Amino acid sequence: MALTQQFARVTPEYLDRCRATALDSPGASPGRDPPEADRLDTEWALWGLLHHCRSTGADPELIALLDRAVSGDPDGNVGFLDHDEVYDGFGDPPRALAPAAVADIAAALDRVQLADLLSSLPASTADAAISCGFRGGFDGDVREHLAEHFAALREFYRTAARRTQCVVTWVD
């Protein structure tokens, strides 16, 4: 089973309702099911981008930005989402980013020069995949894969910031 990085855009009120539902339900289920249009699955691409940035000595601020965008804030106060119906227990429990943090991340993602980051990837697909920590072979263009998922993440955060929403992150 492959693990993938998941995101959901939700309002603070939605999280409050999930918290209340978890407190009131016998199994502590938060009753969480964000609409498909407000979910994003970046597969493992962003982990690969982070791996590449770390291995090439990219700007530590950029690495911290990507890590925060992917991992959320540890003080997101969403422990009620730590439930079998939300995620399957791999990695850390879900974390949330408040609307102000989402706006900061969206603005910072807009400043990332992705082409510059990807320019240091090796030319061969096999070597580029290794540079990103992808194991077991990779079909396709690594640069294109990373660029596609980074663009999706950037747009996801832009939309959440424009709507003053939270972003919940988890591995599934």
Side-chain angles (χ1 to χ4, degrees):
M1 167 175 37
L3 300 177
T4 63
Q5 182 65 54
Q6 304 286 319
F7 301 87
R9 292 183 293 237
V10 296
T11 64
E13 296 79 18
Y14 181 87
L15 287 175
D16 288 343
R17 283 193 306 274
C18 289
R19 184 179 288 108
T21 300
L23 290 172
D24 289 342
S25 74
S29 173
R32 180 182 164 272
D33 191 20
E36 194 64 34
D38 286 321
R39 293 186 63 171
L40 176 66
D41 179 347
T42 59
E43 301 173 359
W44 55 87
L46 297 175
W47 302 333
L49 182 60
L50 266 165
H51 186 277
H52 174 67
C53 288
R54 287 182 177 121
S55 68
T56 59
D59 180 359
E61 288 184 26
L62 170 66
I63 293 170
L65 165 68
L66 293 173
D67 190 44
R68 187 177 184 206
V70 168
S71 302
D73 283 337
D75 61 347
N77 193 22
V78 291
F80 59 91
L81 293 177
D82 188 0
H83 191 275
D84 292 343
E85 291 178 13
V86 177
Y87 88 116
D88 53 18
F90 290 103
D92 292 330
R95 291 183 174 177
L97 292 152
V102 169
D104 290 345
I105 290 170
L109 289 172
D110 279 340
R111 293 188 297 271
V112 172
Q113 299 297 316
L114 188 63
D116 292 345
L117 286 176
L118 299 182
S119 69
S120 61
L121 274 173
S124 84
T125 296
D127 290 341
I130 290 168
S131 177
C132 293
F134 298 153
R135 302 212 187 330
F138 184 88
D139 286 335
D141 184 313
V142 174
R143 279 181 184 80
E144 185 178 303
H145 182 71
L146 297 177
E148 174 187 329
H149 286 87
F150 179 82
L153 179 75
R154 186 185 328 225
E155 186 56 36
F156 190 83
Y157 270 91
R158 280 179 185 156
T159 299
R162 190 172 50 254
R163 295 178 183 170
T164 319
Q165 290 178 304
C166 301
V167 169
V168 177
T169 70
W170 74 100
V171 174
D172 198 14

